[in-house]
Amino acid sequence: TLSSPFFLPFTSTGAFQYLQTRTEGTLRSLSRALQFLSIEFLWTLVAEILRFCTGEEMAGSVDMVGGGGRSEKVKVAATCLLLAAVGISLWGLYFGDGEAKQWRGMLRRKKKKAIRVYMDGCFDMMHYGHCNALRQARALGDELVVGVVSDAEIIANKGPPVTPHHERMVMVKAVKWVDEVIADAPYAITEEFMKKLFEEHSIDYIIHGDDPCVLPDGTDAYALAKKAGRYKQIKRTEGVSTTDIVERSVSETRQSHSSLQRQFSHGHSQKFEEGGTGSGTRVSHFLPTSRRIVQFSNGKGPGPHARIVYIDGAFDLFHAGHVEILRIARGLGDFLLVGIHNDQTVSAKRGTHRPIMNLHERSLSVLACRYVDEVIIGAPWEISKDMITTFNISSVVHGTVAENNDFEKEESNPYAVPISMGIFKVLDSPLDITTTTIIKRIVSNNEAYQKRNEKKSQSERRYYEDKTHVSGD
């Protein structure tokens, strides 16, 4: 490709600027090449190579001035060596010190075996804490293999999961730091499974967070990995857990029911209540930092001729339905820009009990998705012509399965401008899942989740009581 370092810029202006910046490096490289490749060195090397290859005592017959007694073999060998010398000189001319070292380093790294690390989990109601754990695990190796625990194992060890195995597989595969996924992984690392990881999957290290993972019998789920000396630990992401999210969902559902009762008793309509500006989001313990946003971001913008696709939404309780529509949207262009509505907008449109996750939490979950290139944090509800021009948006898309598909009936259609420009498209959603779907699952099996959460909450309280500082990010 033209972007390869082996190709010179092919415009005259680019070539001039490029050569101008290379002058000092070129002179230094030429000086070193001339010192190294002296005439005496070349002819001595010719003699030694010929003696080694033919077994003949030809060194004495090699005339340092290039006399006529040299055999054809000597001439061929000399020609090959001279060509090699020219090649090395050109390498020195073209590349500076830093780039030559960089290429040598790349060659050495290619020869080294990739370090493969393994991390497992339930990944139920997958959130940015899970994603950050996978990001940290990936940083400890070159390739990250993730085991997704089966439904049966979760039920036996923790209680019923909110999201079934196939949805959890969709979620984990979509995380941009994941290289491979193992389905139906065991909850505990057994001797047999650990052997399989090491021999069949070439795993070097098994990773887990600094929070304890205790089996029903009180033993450490990672005891065997630690004993084998193949265990590494990462820092737990504070402020979020599946237990916490389930509690938030149940709490907000109760508030929603109470709100409806108040509406009917006071004669207010739901429309009136939803028009409030306050957000009903439960207080989160998550402390957003600019560094975390940077860690999750791709750090790359669209190319000058990229086809930019835009999709927006609340993306609350980020789930498999979100992931699949983002995957399809990304396939329509070169760059996927995702607009995430702020808490006040979501509350106004969905009710004061929404969103469950605040804006920063939702932004991180979306950013961790491999199909997403960039997000607008706090995107406007209505898409304007100025916004389309500013971000150079080529098409605006919306899924058939969503919390609100009555936008065309609204007084102010948020997609009116892209529709008038002929760049709006409705996509068939692969999965019939919404945030409401997830909440209904929790409410319908509330008793089982409450029992699971009580047990988990005790464990988390002990973790925070005994917590000490752990370095890491």
Side-chain angles (χ1 to χ4, degrees), residues 95-397:
F95 291 103
D97 288 345
E99 284 170 305
K101 288 179 182 177
Q102 183 180 356
W103 279 98
R104 285 195 297 272
M106 286 173 63
L107 291 173
R108 280 196 297 269
R109 283 195 295 273
K110 284 184 178 180
K111 292 178 183 178
K112 289 174 63 179
K113 174 189 175 296
I115 297 174
R116 288 167 63 83
V117 296
Y118 172 81
M119 187 173 194
D120 59 14
C122 301
F123 303 108
D124 192 19
M125 296 186 69
M126 192 162 187
H127 49 73
Y128 63 90
H130 291 133
C131 297
N132 192 47
L134 295 174
R135 181 190 66 80
Q136 292 181 78
R138 179 63 171 75
L140 295 177
D142 303 305
E143 296 170 2
L144 174 60
V145 181
V146 180
V148 180
V149 178
S150 68
D151 291 341
E153 286 275 288
I154 296 175
I155 292 170
N157 288 277
K158 299 178 69 172
V162 176
T163 48
H165 185 265
H166 69 276
E167 289 181 21
R168 291 183 285 115
M169 286 287 290
V170 169
M171 296 298 293
V172 174
K173 286 179 180 178
V175 177
K176 60 187 174 186
W177 298 289
V178 175
D179 297 294
E180 295 176 28
V181 180
I182 299 174
D184 295 316
Y187 187 80
I189 302 291
T190 62
E191 194 81 52
E192 181 184 359
F193 186 70
M194 189 166 67
K195 183 179 180 182
K196 182 180 178 181
L197 288 177
F198 295 157
E199 295 180 0
E200 294 183 23
H201 296 280
S202 302
I203 298 299
D204 295 290
Y205 298 102
I206 294 171
I207 316 294
H208 187 64
D210 63 321
D211 54 318
C213 184
V214 181
L215 299 174
D217 62 2
T219 58
D220 184 353
Y222 296 91
L224 290 174
K226 292 174 181 178
K227 185 178 179 181
R230 307 282 284 272
Y231 176 84
K232 286 192 176 184
Q233 187 170 280
I234 57 170
K235 185 177 181 179
R236 169 181 166 148
T237 304
E238 305 291 0
V240 67
S241 67
T242 300
T243 304
D244 174 54
I245 295 171
V246 168
E247 287 179 353
R248 291 196 219 178
S249 302
V250 171
S251 173
E252 300 308 329
T253 302
R254 287 172 183 159
Q255 288 184 25
S256 174
H257 290 162
S258 299
S259 175
L260 285 171
Q261 289 176 352
R262 286 195 302 272
Q263 290 166 24
F264 292 131
S265 63
H266 289 84
H268 295 155
S269 68
Q270 188 175 356
K271 184 87 172 178
F272 176 83
E273 290 291 334
E274 288 179 349
T277 56
S279 170
T281 306
R282 183 175 178 268
V283 176
S284 168
H285 296 292
F286 171 61
L287 301 175
T289 62
S290 58
R291 185 162 176 261
R292 183 72 77 222
I293 294 287
V294 170
Q295 288 170 338
F296 275 53
S297 300
N298 288 343
K300 295 179 181 179
H305 305 294
R307 180 173 174 77
I308 300 171
V309 179
Y310 179 77
I311 186 171
D312 62 359
F315 298 98
D316 197 13
L317 298 182
F318 196 63
H319 51 71
H322 291 137
V323 167
E324 287 295 89
I325 197 66
L326 292 175
R327 177 180 62 81
I328 291 177
R330 181 62 176 80
L332 297 176
D334 309 303
F335 192 91
L336 181 59
L337 177 64
V338 180
I340 305 174
H341 301 142
N342 64 29
D343 297 345
Q344 289 73 24
T345 299
V346 177
S347 291
K349 300 296 179 180
R350 304 280 185 269
T352 54
H353 57 289
R354 299 283 187 88
I356 306 297
M357 311 285 283
N358 68 38
L359 177 60
H360 289 96
E361 293 175 310
R362 292 182 283 120
S363 298
L364 289 178
S365 293
V366 175
L367 275 172
C369 181
R370 68 171 71 249
Y371 309 119
V372 176
D373 295 291
E374 181 64 288
V375 302
I376 300 176
I377 303 174
W381 178 253
E382 295 184 10
I383 301 170
S384 65
K385 178 70 167 61
D386 178 67
M387 177 180 166
I388 291 170
T389 303
T390 299
F391 291 100
N392 195 27
I393 295 169
S394 303
S395 61
V396 177
V397 298

